[in-house]
Amino acid sequence: VGSKRSNKRYNYDMVFGQYSTQEEVYRHAIKPVVDEVLLGYNCTVFAYGQTGTGKTHTMEGNVDDPDLQGMIPRAVTSIFESLDNLDSGEYTV
């Protein structure tokens, strides 16, 4: 606090730059989680950050534009596409 210096280190799995696309973020950060959900695991994606930093844009995006869709519409699409590709079995959504 104040003039006290801190030498903390933080590890990150991935850092996305300001020009990263919604597709890149989805493919690297969310798609693996969706795949785990389809295997039966309970998973959560949590957007955290300062007000006005783009959390809602990242999570929702523009659902009417496939290039600008956020994580939620992409995840829902991915889940239903995976379910459509099943050869057999029943599922409840």
Side-chain angles (χ1 to χ4, degrees), residues 25-67:
V25 174
Y26 179 76
R27 187 171 6 99
H28 292 289
I30 309 302
K31 180 69 168 93
V33 176
V34 171
D35 293 341
E36 294 289 315
V37 167
L38 292 168
L39 292 173
Y41 293 96
N42 292 321
C43 300
T44 300
V45 173
F46 186 76
Y48 178 81
Q50 187 174 3
T51 299
T53 57
K55 297 175 298 296
T56 300
H57 173 73
T58 299
M59 295 305 288
E60 296 177 6
N62 181 346
V63 295
D64 297 325
D65 184 339
D67 292 331

